[in-house]
Amino acid sequence: MKKEWDKIFAESKVDIKVDAFIRRSGMRLKPYLSEQEGAGKE
């Protein structure tokens, strides 16, 4: 299995369950991800 891990992992099936809620709905002018990427550059 160790030698074929990339093949086995690529073909595996994954079930994902997400339990989420929206705190404040509204329009954001800047995407959240771009804020996170810029935070480490300071």
Side-chain angles (χ1 to χ4, degrees):
M1 185 168 165
K2 187 176 182 178
K3 292 179 182 179
E4 297 181 21
W5 177 250
D6 292 334
K7 181 181 176 187
I8 293 170
F9 183 75
E11 294 175 357
S12 63
K13 294 183 180 180
V14 179
D15 291 324
I16 299 173
K17 180 182 176 187
V18 177
D19 186 16
F21 61 93
I22 299 172
R23 290 187 181 180
R24 295 186 303 176
S25 62
M27 185 181 296
R28 290 184 51 92
L29 299 177
K30 294 182 182 179
Y32 178 75
L33 292 176
S34 65
E35 291 177 7
Q36 293 297 317
E37 292 172 357
K41 295 180 181 179
E42 294 177 8

